[in-house]
Amino acid sequence: MNEEKKPSSPAQSPASATRYLVILFLAAFCLLLVTFAMERRQHQVLQEQSQEQIQDLQQNISAVQSLQNLYDENAALKEQLHQMELDMAQLNSTILDKENQLSVTSQQAEKQEKALLAMDWFWQIDEAYVRGRYTVCKQLIDRMCELGLESYLPLESTTNTDRFSPSHRLEEIREKLEY
């Protein structure tokens, strides 16, 4: 019986060593596979993070470009506004000039109209005086003065004769009527 419990034979020893090596090799291989899977997963995570960072950078670049475009557009709009302000100032100046010219023309037309009206009154006064209608003549002079038209009578004679101007003739008639 002692013989039955003999240590294993040298032929069995290499088989169990081979088995042990295969198990160790398989364990090492499994560890390598797990490590590879973990490394691959970590690589994917890093790649996704890198991709997100790239996308963030692209968005930032896009935002910076949009901002630059806005700055450029703002500068262009400021330039347009400045030009429009200059144009508006020039237009206002032109309008004021035209209004002044219109005002002067309007004043001249009003003066001419009053001068014509004054001459009409003057001829009626002169006609009434020449015909001896002194009461009517006085009434016409009074009414002409009320209307303020006597200052619109010409001060010089336009006929180049030695005759009085309409303004001087009115004064002569007034003196004779004893105003």
Side-chain angles (χ1 to χ4, degrees), residues 52-148:
E52 287 174 6
Q53 288 176 348
I54 289 171
Q55 287 174 353
D56 287 344
L57 287 174
Q58 286 174 342
Q59 288 175 351
N60 288 341
I61 290 171
S62 244
V64 167
Q65 287 174 343
S66 295
L67 189 59
Q68 183 62 42
N69 290 342
L70 288 174
Y71 282 137
D72 294 343
E73 186 178 342
N74 188 21
L77 289 173
K78 283 181 180 179
E79 180 61 32
Q80 285 178 348
L81 178 63
H82 179 69
Q83 187 61 42
M84 290 173 103
E85 286 172 346
L86 291 176
D87 292 346
M88 189 67 133
Q90 185 178 7
L91 184 60
N92 284 338
S93 175
T94 303
I95 288 172
L96 287 175
D97 289 346
K98 295 294 181 184
E99 285 177 350
N100 289 339
Q101 290 173 356
L102 184 59
S103 177
V104 167
T105 303
S106 177
Q107 289 172 353
Q108 289 172 344
E110 187 178 329
K111 283 181 182 180
Q112 288 177 348
E113 186 178 315
K114 287 187 177 183
L116 286 172
L117 189 58
M119 285 302 293
D120 187 44
W121 280 88
F122 168 74
W123 292 121
Q124 290 180 38
I125 292 167
D126 191 53
E127 185 70 22
Y129 180 77
V130 169
R131 291 185 182 223
R133 296 182 179 173
Y134 301 125
T135 306
V136 172
C137 187
K138 283 183 177 184
Q139 289 173 346
L140 290 171
I141 290 173
D142 289 341
R143 183 68 180 133
M144 183 179 180
C145 290
E146 285 175 18
L147 295 172

Side-chain angles (χ1 to χ4, degrees), residues 34-59:
V34 169
T35 305
F36 175 76
M38 289 173 55
E39 287 291 324
R40 182 171 166 99
R41 177 69 186 136
Q42 187 176 9
H43 178 70
Q44 275 183 318
V45 168
L46 288 175
Q47 193 172 10
E48 288 172 3
Q49 288 175 348
S50 295
Q51 190 64 31
E52 287 174 6
Q53 288 176 348
I54 289 171
Q55 287 174 353
D56 287 344
L57 287 174
Q58 286 174 342
Q59 288 175 351

